[in-house]
C-alpha cells in the first residue's frame, strides 16, 4: 500500500489554482488527496507520516523543459539515471529530454527507447522532445506523428536551429495538427560564425571571437514571421538578448502563440564576469551584456517570460578543461535552478507565487502537460518542499558532470524534499528511493 503523507504548516504555492497560503497537504494513494488547514485533526493517524513544513515552501514538483540527458551515446557526460538524480536533488520532478543525443531521437522507436530506459533507471519523470529533422541534419522533416504516437510532447533541433525557413514552415504545420509545440534554438549560424562568447568589449579584451545579439534575434524574427502565416505554437528557448524579448513581446501582442524561456545563468551573470579562459562559463547562447541581463530580469518581472528552464548541458571535465575557444558549449543547471531563480524573489522582481508559476505551472502549460505543475486534488503527488533561507556552497553535484560557474558559490534557497507520485525521492539532500514510473 502506498504511504500517506501529511505535509503540515508549509506555505503552499500552487499557481495553477492561485493558491498562496499557509496550510496542509494530504497525500494518499500517490495523489494529492486534500489541501486545507488543520488536517491532522480529521485525518486518521494510522500509517500517516507527518512532515513538518513550518517555515518552508510547498509547491508542485518543478518542471524543467530544457534538459540534456546525453543518453544514448554520451554516457561519459550524463545518463538518464544521473541527470534525473540531479533533477531530484534540485527539486525537479519532470524533465523534458532534448533529442540531440547520439544518435538523435528522431523516430517513434527512439522515443519509446527513452521512455523505457527512463522507466528502468530514472529518478524523476522524463518527457521526451523529438527531433524536427532526420538525424537533426536540417534537411528532411522527421516523422513527427510517429514520435508523437510514442509520447513525444514537443519537437526541436535544439543544439542547432531549425535549419531553414521552409523546414520551420513544414514542422509547424505538422506539429499544429498534432497540437504540439516547436521549441526553437534561435541562432543564425552565419552570424555566430565561429564565435565563442558574447560580442562586445569583454570578448575583445579576452581576445575571443564574439557572437552578436543578432545571431539570436534574426532567427527569432524569421520564425515569428513564419508563424504569422502557418499558425501553430513556437517556444523560444534560452532567450538571452533584449532584442529577442522585444520580438516575443510584440508577437504576443499580435496574438501569436509564442512562449519564451529564460535560463538562470542568463539573468544572473554577464559576459564581463567570465574569468579568463574558464570554459565552465561557456554556453550557447553566451552570457550577454549587463544591459541584456537587466532586460531579461525586467521581462521576467513584467510577465513576458513564460518559463524558467535550465538548459542543463553536462560535459565531462576533460572537455571543459580545454581553453575557452575550444571547449564545448553548455553548463549544468538542475541543482542550481531553485537558488538562482529564488534570487529574483529576494530582489523584489517576483512574488513567491509568480516564481512558483515560472518553474512549475508555466512550463507544464507550455508543453500541454496535464498531470504536472499543479497540486489540485487528484493530481499525481509530485511535490517539492523548498527551504528559502537555506544556504549552501555546492562543492560537488549529483550530475555526472560538474561544469557549472556556480560551483563553490554561496547559494540561498534549496529543495529539501522531492516527492514523485507520492513517494519521497530526495530528503535533506539525500537520495531516498526511486519512484515507480
Ligand atoms: Zn539550445
Amino acid at each position: 500500500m502506498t504511504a500517506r503523507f501529511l505535509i503540515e504548516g508549509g506555505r503552499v504555492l500552487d499557481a495553477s489554482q492561485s493558491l498562496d497560503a499557509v496550510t496542509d497537504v494530504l497525500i494518499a494513494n500517490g495523489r494529492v488527496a486534500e489541501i486545507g488547514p488543520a488536517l491532522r485533526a480529521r485525518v486518521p493517524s494510522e500509517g500517516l507520516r507527518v512532515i513538518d513544513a513550518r517555515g518552508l515552501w510547498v509547491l508542485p514538483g518543478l518542471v524543467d523543459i530544457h534538459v540534456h540527458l546525453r543518453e544514448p551515446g554520451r554516457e561519459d557526460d550524463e545518463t538518464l539515471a544521473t541527470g534525473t538524480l540531479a533533477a531530484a536533488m534540485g527539486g525537479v520532478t519532470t524533465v523534458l529530454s532534448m533529442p540531440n543525443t547520439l544518435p538523435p531521437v528522431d523516430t517513434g522507436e527512439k522515443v519509446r527507447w527513452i521512455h523505457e530506459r527512463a522507466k528502468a533507471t530514472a529518478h524523476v519523470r522524463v518527457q521526451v522532445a523529438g527531433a524536427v529533422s532526420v538525424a537533426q541534419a536540417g534537411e528532411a522533416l522527421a516523422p513527427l506523428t510517429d514520435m508523437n504516437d510514442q509520447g513525444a510532447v514537443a519537437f526541436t533541433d535544439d543544439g542547432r536551429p531549425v535549419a531553414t525557413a521552409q523546414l520551420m514552415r513544414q514542422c509547424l504545420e505538422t506539429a499544429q495538427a498534432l497540437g504540439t509545440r516547436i521549441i526553437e534554438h534561435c541562432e543564425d549560424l552565419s552570424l555566430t560564425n565561429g564565435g565563442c562568447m558574447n560580442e562586445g568589449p569583454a570578448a575583445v579584451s579576452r581576445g575571443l571571437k564574439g557572437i552578436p545579439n543578432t545571431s539570436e534575434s534574426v532567427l527569432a524574427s524569421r520564425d515569428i514571421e513564419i508563424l504569422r502565416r502557418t499558425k501553430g505554437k513556437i517556444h523560444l528557448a534560452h532567450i538571452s538578448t533584449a532584442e529577442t524579448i522585444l520580438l516575443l513581446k510584440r508577437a504576443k501582442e499580435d496574438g501569436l502563440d509564442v512562449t519564451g524561456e529564460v535560463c538562470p545563468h542568463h539573468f544572473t551573470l554577464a559576459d564581463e564576469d567570465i574569468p579568463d579562459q574558464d570554459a565552465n562559463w561557456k554556453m550557447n547562447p553566451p552570457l550577454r551584456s549587463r544591459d541584456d541581463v537587466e532586460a531579461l530580469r525586467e521581462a521576467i518581472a513584467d510577465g513576458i517570460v513564460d518559463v524558467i528552464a535550465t538548459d542543463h548541458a553536462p560535459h565531462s571535465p576533460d572537455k571543459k578543461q580545454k581553453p575557452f575557444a575550444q571547449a564545448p558549449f553548455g553548463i549544468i543547471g538542475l541543482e542550481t535552478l531553485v537558488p538562482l531563480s529564488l534570487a529574483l524573489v529576494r530582489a523584489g522582481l517576483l512574488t513567491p507565487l509568480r516564481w512558483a508559476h515560472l518553474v512549475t505551472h508555466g512550463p507544464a502549460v507550455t508543453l500541454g502537460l496535464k498531470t504536472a505543475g499543479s497540486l489540485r486534488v487528484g493530481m499525481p503527488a509530485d511535490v517539492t518542499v523548498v527551504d528559502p533561507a537555506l544556504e549552501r556552497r555546492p562543492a560537488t553535484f549529483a550530475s555526472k558532470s560538474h561544469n557549472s560557474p556556480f560551483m563553490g558559490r554561496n547559494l540561498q534557497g534549496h529543495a529539501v524534499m522531492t516527492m514523485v507520485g507520492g513517494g519521497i525521492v530526495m530528503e535533506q539532500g539525500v537520495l531516498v528511493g526511486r519512484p515507480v514510473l
Side-chain angles (χ1 to χ4, degrees):
M1 201 187 109
T2 319
R4 293 186 309 138
F5 297 93
L6 181 62
I7 305 173
E8 198 172 57
R11 180 173 180 179
V12 179
L13 298 166
D14 181 6
S16 78
Q17 41 188 334
S18 302
L19 176 65
D20 177 357
V22 173
T23 189
D24 301 342
V25 180
L26 179 68
I27 311 292
N29 299 318
R31 295 186 178 269
V32 179
E34 192 174 352
I35 296 184
L39 288 185
R40 208 193 311 199
R42 293 196 287 105
V43 174
S45 62
E46 205 187 314
L48 183 73
R49 179 175 160 202
V50 178
I51 295 163
D52 183 2
R54 285 174 296 173
L56 307 179
W57 293 0
V58 179
L59 51 150
L62 273 61
V63 179
D64 185 351
I65 65 170
H66 200 141
V67 176
H68 298 273
L69 294 171
R70 305 304 193 203
E71 190 177 355
R74 287 172 59 189
E75 291 85 353
D76 55 325
D77 295 329
E78 195 79 285
T79 63
L80 281 151
T82 59
T84 55
L85 177 59
M89 291 301 169
V92 175
T93 58
T94 298
V95 297
L96 180 68
S97 166
M98 291 289 118
N100 62 334
T101 47
L102 287 175
V105 177
D106 62 354
T107 64
E109 197 184 324
K110 288 175 184 149
V111 170
R112 196 170 62 238
W113 186 87
I114 300 281
H115 279 306
E116 281 166 10
R117 187 79 183 142
K119 208 172 156 84
T121 65
H123 297 276
V124 303
R125 298 184 200 278
V126 176
Q127 295 285 354
V128 181
V132 160
S133 63
V134 173
Q136 291 195 306
E139 288 165 9
L141 187 66
L144 307 193
T145 306
D146 179 32
M147 288 188 277
N148 186 244
D149 286 345
Q150 297 300 328
V153 296
F155 301 101
T156 182
D157 270 351
D158 185 60
R160 301 170 69 83
V162 173
T164 64
Q166 173 63 5
L167 190 60
M168 177 49 89
R169 181 182 171 173
Q170 288 176 336
C171 72
L172 268 175
E173 283 168 351
T174 307
Q176 188 191 4
L178 299 170
T180 53
R181 196 172 285 274
I182 301 296
I183 299 175
E184 177 66 307
H185 165 115
C186 294
E187 180 182 15
D188 184 303
L189 298 173
S190 72
L191 287 167
T192 296
N193 194 22
C196 65
M197 72 173 282
N198 184 43
E199 184 175 278
V204 171
S205 73
R206 287 164 179 76
L208 294 170
K209 193 166 165 12
I211 302 172
N213 281 21
T214 47
S215 167
E216 179 178 277
S217 57
V218 162
L219 228 285
S221 178
R222 178 200 81 177
D223 292 347
I224 288 166
E225 288 311 306
I226 295 167
L227 186 69
R228 244 179 249 290
R229 295 287 171 197
T230 59
K231 306 303 175 194
K233 303 190 264 196
I234 291 185
H235 178 68
L236 304 178
H238 46 49
I239 297 173
S240 67
T241 68
E243 290 88 340
T244 307
I245 288 292
L246 195 59
L247 289 166
L248 171 67
K249 182 168 183 273
R250 287 192 192 135
K252 287 183 170 203
E253 285 165 0
D254 291 347
L256 301 179
D257 193 346
V258 186
T259 50
E261 159 193 308
V262 175
C263 304
H265 46 273
H266 287 130
F267 62 69
T268 306
L269 304 171
D271 57 356
E272 64 194 46
D273 303 328
I274 301 175
D276 197 36
Q277 296 294 331
D278 186 347
N280 289 322
W281 294 61
K282 178 179 179 180
M283 74 293 287
N284 189 12
L287 298 175
R288 297 290 187 180
S289 71
R290 197 67 70 192
D291 287 347
D292 287 306
V293 173
E294 278 313 309
L296 298 180
R297 294 168 72 90
E298 223 170 89
I300 293 168
D302 291 348
I304 295 161
V305 172
D306 301 272
V307 172
I308 294 175
T310 64
D311 193 6
H312 179 86
H315 292 289
S316 61
D318 55 309
K319 291 175 193 144
K320 279 296 198 179
Q321 269 155 17
K322 291 179 182 166
F324 199 92
Q326 279 97 56
F329 290 102
I331 64 167
I332 58 170
L334 284 163
E335 293 164 84
T336 49
L337 169 60
V338 168
L340 296 178
S341 57
L342 263 181
L344 299 173
V345 177
R346 286 197 300 276
L349 295 171
L350 293 174
T351 63
L353 187 60
R354 184 65 196 164
W355 164 73
H357 173 83
L358 287 166
V359 291
T360 62
H361 189 54
V365 168
T366 295
L367 287 191
L369 303 177
K370 299 271 190 291
T371 56
S374 169
L375 293 177
R376 283 180 189 282
V377 169
M379 290 286 285
D382 296 355
V383 186
T384 295
V385 180
V386 166
D387 181 344
L390 180 64
E391 293 184 45
R392 274 191 202 142
R393 203 178 283 274
T396 185
F397 291 106
S399 168
K400 199 164 189 176
S401 292
H402 289 176
N403 49 315
S404 167
F406 301 104
M407 177 83 91
R409 283 166 75 121
N410 190 49
L411 301 175
Q412 187 186 338
H414 296 272
V416 290
M417 196 196 82
T418 307
M419 181 182 274
V420 177
I424 296 177
V425 177
M426 179 280 283
E427 200 167 7
Q428 303 300 339
V430 177
L431 183 69
V432 176
R434 264 195 74 231
V436 179
L437 294 166

